């Protein structure tokens, strides 16, 4: 069921989104060679505690997972697309780090993801992958206007992926956000313009392109039951914001 949010509810979602943005900034500042993923997880946990928020991820167990998620953040490295578990892995210069993070504040959820290199990218291809994924997110947000449809968002994302020869993990995409981290509707990263749910004021969704450098749309699941990896071994990037559809255009709720 799709629940449209009131103006006051969108403001509450914005406050949760602000916590998410602050945590992302803190983690990015802390990420350096030798820093472990568990240490980044602790950085995010500290931001949650400072602002009286809780984790949307810790203990979460959707239908596909055999165990509850063990971290505050999803930390995916290089060929890991999404849902990487924060371990004792120590970051190395040039690693691509995708951090997905969700906060719950006052019963409302904020959810966003970002990919960045540790230090300088190892090559131009990694830099281009991140840039194109961020560009696709911006294009998806730009299409999220009253009167358009979900397919217009999906098409905007997919157009950029295909133009640059990137793959997208089949079946993965965005979702509604509200009292729960995953609500209706689903927001695919590939689709046809003019198709799907018509966008109305009060709809709050997470838009999250995930691009695979090698161009393959397939993926595989790691033995941990959570981490999603590229089948071809190429690097991946993930970019996400939670937004509200308003009469004045899309409003990004997960900015600082």
């Amino acid at each position: 069921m799709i629940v449209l949010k009131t103006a006051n509810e969108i403001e509450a979602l914005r406050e949760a989104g602000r916590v998410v943005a602050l945590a992302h900034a803190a983690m990015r500042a802390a990420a350096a060679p030798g820093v472990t993923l568990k240490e980044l997880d602790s950085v995010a946990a500290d931001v949650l505690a400072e602002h009286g928020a809780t984790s949307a991820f810790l203990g979460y167990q959707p239908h596909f997972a055999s165990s509850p998620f063990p971290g505050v953040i999803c930390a995916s490295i290089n060929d890991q697309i999404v849902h990487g578990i924060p371990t004792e892995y120590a970051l190395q210069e040039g690693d691509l780090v995708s951090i997905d993070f969700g906060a719950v504040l006052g019963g409302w959820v904020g959810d966003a993801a970002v990919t960045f290199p540790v230090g300088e990218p190892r090559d131009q291809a990694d830099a281009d992958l991140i840039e194109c994924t961020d560009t696709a997110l911006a294009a998806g947000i730009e299409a999220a206007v009253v009167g358009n449809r979900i397919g217009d968002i999906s098409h905007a994302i997919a157009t950029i992926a295909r133009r640059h020869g990137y793959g997208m993990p089949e079946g993965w995409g965005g979702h509604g956000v509200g009292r729960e981290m995953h609500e209706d509707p689903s927001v695919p990263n590939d689709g046809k313009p003019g198709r799907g749910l018509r966008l109305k004021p009060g709809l709050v969704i997470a838009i999250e392109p995930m691009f695979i450098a090698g161009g393959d749309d397939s993926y595989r699941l790691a033995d941990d039951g959570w981490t999603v990896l590229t089948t071809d071994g190429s690097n991946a990037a993930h970019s996400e914001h939670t937004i509200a559809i308003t009469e004045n255009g899309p409003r990004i709720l997960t900015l600082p």
Side-chain angles (χ1 to χ4, degrees):
M1 182 176 69
I2 296 170
V3 179
L4 300 180
K5 279 48 175 200
T6 67
N8 286 340
E9 289 171 339
I10 290 173
E11 290 304 320
L13 285 158
R14 169 67 180 123
E15 291 308 307
R18 195 187 312 274
V19 175
V20 171
L22 292 171
H24 270 300
M27 287 184 282
R28 187 161 189 166
V35 174
T36 69
L37 299 181
K38 276 196 172 182
E39 287 173 325
L40 293 184
D41 192 73
S42 294
V43 169
D46 288 345
V47 173
L48 289 174
E50 179 183 353
H51 294 276
T54 58
S55 171
F57 291 5
L58 184 64
Y60 183 64
Q61 188 172 5
H63 65 88
F64 63 81
S66 59
S67 61
F69 192 75
V72 167
I73 64 172
C74 292
S76 306
I77 306 299
N78 298 324
D79 64 338
Q80 299 175 354
I81 305 169
V82 70
H83 296 168
I85 292 175
T87 65
E88 294 291 353
Y89 174 82
L91 296 173
Q92 301 177 34
E93 181 77 19
D95 275 345
L96 289 195
V97 184
S98 296
I99 302 289
D100 195 355
F101 176 73
V104 183
L105 183 67
W108 297 97
V109 175
D111 184 15
V114 64
T115 299
F116 58 88
V118 178
E120 294 297 321
R122 292 195 175 106
D123 53 40
Q124 188 59 44
D126 282 350
D128 292 344
L129 174 64
I130 295 172
E131 181 181 5
C132 282
T133 309
D134 289 343
T135 298
L137 174 60
I141 292 172
E142 185 177 358
V145 297
V146 173
N148 271 2
R149 294 182 180 271
I150 290 288
D152 295 308
I153 298 173
S154 307
H155 180 70
I157 292 169
T159 296
I160 292 173
R162 302 313 183 195
R163 179 186 303 151
H164 294 276
Y166 296 131
M168 294 179 291
E170 187 175 357
W172 293 86
H175 48 87
V177 179
R179 291 284 189 183
E180 303 292 334
M181 181 168 56
H182 293 116
E183 297 186 352
D184 291 333
S186 64
V187 185
N189 286 329
D190 197 359
K192 296 182 178 180
R195 302 286 184 89
L197 178 76
R198 190 173 296 279
L199 306 180
K200 297 180 180 180
L203 181 65
V204 176
I205 55 176
I207 300 174
E208 49 179 319
M210 305 170 198
F211 285 3
I212 298 170
D216 191 344
D217 289 349
S218 65
Y219 61 89
R220 62 186 180 88
L221 190 64
D223 292 341
D224 61 26
W226 275 101
T227 307
V228 179
L229 300 102
T230 64
T231 302
D232 60 14
S234 65
N235 284 345
H238 180 197
S239 189
E240 175 187 19
H241 273 306
T242 299
I243 71 161
I245 310 297
T246 79
E247 293 285 4
N248 297 319
R251 181 185 179 191
I252 302 175
L253 304 180
T254 41
L255 289 173

